[in-house]
Amino acid sequence: MKKFEVIWTKKAELDLELIIEYIKVDSIGIAKNIFFEIKEQCDTLYIFPESRRIVPELQQIGVLQYRELIYKRWRIIYKTESDTVYILIVVDASRDIEDILFQRLLRDNT
């Protein structure tokens, strides 16, 4: 079985940090739990990262290299290259993701 290294980009780390800071205002305990749960979910991508769904908004326009992991109310968008999974975006699922996708994935080619 092929195993992948999971690497967080700086932008994804910042996304997670901002989410945790926002939650921490109400509850440090919940923020801590969410942080570790999201990290743990991403760590599961070391096996079979291609089994997750392609980001639907990108699939509609023929961009197929980005996949996502949905955890509770967050979308975690990543891409796989060779033996590495790059975590690119962590965003609340209620946000309009199309602008974020365009800025981060298509324009920056991150």
Side-chain angles (χ1 to χ4, degrees):
M1 175 185 338
K2 183 176 180 180
K3 293 189 178 179
F4 294 78
E5 179 181 12
V6 178
I7 296 178
W8 284 71
T9 63
K10 289 181 182 184
K11 289 180 182 181
E13 287 177 343
L14 180 59
D15 289 341
L16 182 57
E17 182 180 317
L18 292 173
I19 289 167
I20 298 309
E21 288 297 319
Y22 180 78
I23 296 170
K24 193 165 78 171
V25 170
D26 290 329
S27 171
I28 292 173
I30 291 173
K32 184 178 175 182
N33 287 341
I34 293 297
F35 174 83
F36 288 114
E37 289 170 4
I38 288 175
K39 286 289 215 173
E40 187 177 292
Q41 287 297 308
C42 290
D43 286 345
T44 67
L45 295 172
Y46 82 97
I47 54 172
F48 304 120
E50 298 94 354
S51 66
R52 304 296 176 142
R53 78 178 187 173
I54 295 170
V55 177
E57 293 87 348
L58 295 175
Q59 187 174 23
Q60 291 175 359
I61 60 170
V63 178
L64 306 177
Q65 70 264 37
Y66 300 100
R67 295 185 178 269
E68 69 180 344
L69 166 65
I70 308 291
Y71 179 69
K72 293 188 177 181
R73 56 184 270 192
W74 295 280
R75 294 174 75 176
I76 301 154
I77 298 172
Y78 65 92
K79 70 177 176 179
T80 303
E81 289 181 2
S82 190
D83 294 340
T84 307
V85 173
Y86 293 96
I87 308 296
L88 303 170
I89 297 173
V90 182
V91 64
D92 188 304
S94 67
R95 289 189 56 198
D96 181 5
I97 191 96
E98 290 184 17
D99 286 337
I100 296 167
L101 290 171
F102 177 73
Q103 291 173 1
R104 296 262 190 101
L105 303 179
L106 302 178
R107 192 181 71 200
D108 293 345
N109 199 20
T110 306

